Amino acid sequence: MHYDLICFSHLRWNFVFQRPQHLLKRFAQTGHRVFYIEEPFFDAPGSPYHEIYTDSDSGVHIVNMHLPATGVNSSVEQQKSLLDSFIDKNEIHDFISWYYSPMAFEFSDHLAAKALVYDCMDELSAFRFAPAKLKQLETALMEKANVVFTGGVSLYEAKKHLHDNIHPFPSSIDKLHFSKARDTRQDPEDQEKIPHPRLGFFGVIDERFDTQLLEALADMRTDYHFILVGPVVKIDPATLPRRENIHYLGGKKYEELPSYLGGWNIAIMPFALNESTAFISPTKTPEFLAGGKPVISTPITDVINPYGNKELVKIASTPTEFIQHADALLVAGFDSEWLNRVDTFMKDLSWDNTWNRMVALVDKAIQKSPITSPSKKQQYV
């Protein structure tokens, strides 16, 4: 089924390669025009304007709205006007609206899309600095949505009563990409001099990351080296624990991650247990496993079930338990039986399969409640 796709997201396309990028690039590579509208920049020297550039790797068109810094209070109307102008100039008629950010619904609720999709990848209202209007706008978005996806099973359980066409889609995996870690022979330059044993993490370091746990682990095993790969956001870098055996390597490109992962002895997921992690389904769980690395995680619901219950991931509730698991894994060494069980479990897990199932549900929603393609004038009513 042919249509364009307009995506509204709170995430910058070039920030971290994750769920939106995996899914939307597949739309772009199968003949759909995909427009990815990021949150606005308040840097316009005069009148508001928008600009578009095309991501060369995926074919997705990135749309940036530039608003005057003095016009924050009128930003909704300004974004609405820019959105209408952008749709008109690009002759977008038959399209679906795809939301990651409920906040964008405030300036786009007037659009007459063939279908409205809400891919609720996280409980954003629980994140630090969440806008006060977010819950209200999410309610309005779900009332109008034709189909809703959630980023994990626990998030689905929390929201399934809010929509009659809602489906869980836990984090998936690009196995071919991360399995490269199993054959890595050369460390990246900034990792090669770090001694073993190495316990590593890659991902965004924010309020979901348990810095106190990391500090305790580093103090309990001063001969273990803890490697953190990823950008630090929403927390003051000065508050991060500093030890000789803690190494912050900063953000890396998606293509580089397997080379870092391949040099670790153990992958760790030291997530804090707070409202921001109550419903997360970490993409790094299958990514670490695809790389062939044993994993230790704090008791995150969507990690316990299924990975912990199937004994594919070690679960640790305290620093002592974390270290006990690490000690045992390092002594035991490579476990071929465990890795066989990992590969069997993840045999059908892929972003291709996730995308295909999502597309089938979107097409079904369009067929169930078709919206006649409106005229340009009707699009903005």
Side-chain angles (χ1 to χ4, degrees):
M1 188 176 296
H2 181 75
Y3 46 76
D4 293 332
L5 186 152
I6 303 176
C7 177
F8 301 92
S9 182
H10 58 292
L11 300 167
R12 299 291 176 200
W13 182 263
N14 290 320
F15 175 53
V16 177
F17 197 93
Q18 51 189 308
R19 183 185 182 99
Q21 287 83 353
H22 280 294
L23 296 173
L24 297 179
K25 78 171 187 178
R26 284 166 168 79
F27 278 105
Q29 292 170 354
T30 52
H32 301 272
R33 283 196 304 172
V34 178
F35 301 93
Y36 186 87
I37 300 179
E38 300 183 340
E39 289 188 334
F41 294 95
F42 292 92
D43 61 355
S47 300
Y49 68 95
H50 76 269
E51 57 183 0
I52 303 175
Y53 70 92
T54 302
D55 177 62
S56 58
D57 293 330
S58 65
V60 171
H61 306 293
I62 316 303
V63 182
N64 293 144
M65 296 186 180
H66 297 266
L67 310 180
T70 56
V72 174
N73 293 332
S74 59
S75 65
V76 172
E77 288 305 315
Q78 290 175 341
Q79 288 178 89
K80 184 175 181 178
S81 177
L82 287 177
L83 176 63
D84 292 349
S85 173
F86 148 74
I87 289 175
D88 187 30
K89 288 180 180 178
N90 288 276
E91 299 183 346
I92 302 172
H93 306 306
D94 293 323
F95 66 95
I96 66 171
S97 296
W98 187 290
Y99 287 84
Y100 285 105
S101 171
M103 295 302 297
F105 195 59
E106 192 170 26
F107 66 86
S108 61
D109 62 342
H110 62 294
L111 298 181
K114 293 170 71 71
L116 192 157
V117 180
Y118 178 30
D119 187 12
C120 180
M121 61 184 287
D122 286 304
E123 182 54 81
L124 295 179
S125 64
F127 284 16
R128 186 174 294 182
F129 310 131
K133 286 184 178 181
L134 197 150
K135 282 192 173 182
Q136 175 186 345
L137 286 168
E138 182 182 64
T139 298
L141 174 59
M142 292 190 74
E143 286 178 354
K144 192 172 180 180
N146 298 93
V147 59
V148 177
F149 306 133
T150 66
V153 174
S154 61
L155 193 54
Y156 166 78
E157 292 294 336
K159 294 184 181 290
K160 64 182 181 182
H161 65 288
L162 299 175
H163 202 277
D164 61 1
N165 190 20
I166 183 170
H167 308 270
F169 282 94
S171 296
S172 198
I173 176 67
D174 180 350
K175 287 196 289 286
L176 182 62
H177 180 62
F178 286 98
S179 65
K180 295 175 185 176
R182 302 188 186 192
D183 300 318
T184 296
R185 296 291 181 268
Q186 181 64 45
D187 263 323
E189 185 176 353
D190 56 351
Q191 182 171 275
E192 62 182 355
K193 294 182 180 179
I194 299 175
H196 288 268
R198 299 170 178 170
L199 286 71
F201 168 90
F202 61 62
V204 178
I205 301 172
D206 57 15
E207 74 270 25
R208 295 169 293 178
F209 191 89
D210 193 335
T211 55
Q212 292 182 332
L213 173 59
L214 174 64
E215 184 175 39
L217 297 177
D219 287 342
M220 291 174 71
R221 289 291 184 274
T222 57
D223 58 330
Y224 290 4
H225 289 262
F226 298 85
I227 299 174
L228 294 308
V229 174
V232 178
V233 300
K234 293 192 289 184
I235 59 175
D236 183 356
T239 65
L240 295 175
R242 303 289 172 174
R243 300 288 190 275
E244 289 187 1
N245 60 334
I246 300 178
H247 310 269
Y248 300 99
L249 303 188
K252 305 297 177 183
K253 295 179 180 179
Y254 180 74
E255 293 76 16
E256 298 176 285
L257 296 180
S259 63
Y260 285 91
L261 176 59
W264 303 343
N265 300 96
I266 299 171
I268 59 173
M269 300 197 300
F271 288 110
L273 301 180
N274 55 38
E275 63 179 5
S276 70
T277 62
F279 303 108
I280 62 172
S281 173
T283 56
K284 52 201 97 294
T285 313
E287 289 172 351
F288 289 160
L289 292 173
K293 299 301 175 182
V295 182
I296 308 173
S297 174
T298 49
I300 298 300
T301 300
D302 282 13
V303 178
I304 295 173
N305 184 22
Y307 297 99
N309 292 342
K310 292 183 178 295
E311 299 185 350
L312 304 179
V313 169
K314 301 294 185 182
I315 305 297
S317 299
T318 66
T320 299
E321 288 182 2
F322 222 102
I323 290 299
Q324 288 174 343
H325 283 311
D327 290 345
L329 288 168
L330 290 171
V331 169
F334 178 71
D335 185 343
S336 59
E337 187 274 333
W338 163 80
L339 192 57
N340 286 335
R341 289 191 289 110
V342 165
D343 290 342
T344 298
F345 175 76
M346 299 204 305
K347 177 169 57 81
D348 297 322
L349 189 63
S350 73
W351 284 115
D352 283 336
N353 288 343
T354 295
W355 180 79
N356 283 323
R357 290 167 54 208
M358 284 183 168
V359 169
L361 290 167
V362 171
D363 288 349
K364 185 176 179 180
I366 293 173
Q367 293 166 355
K368 184 177 180 181
S369 300
I371 298 177
T372 302
S373 180
S375 66
K376 292 179 183 178
K377 181 177 180 181
Q378 288 174 324
Q379 277 184 322
Y380 313 135
V381 175

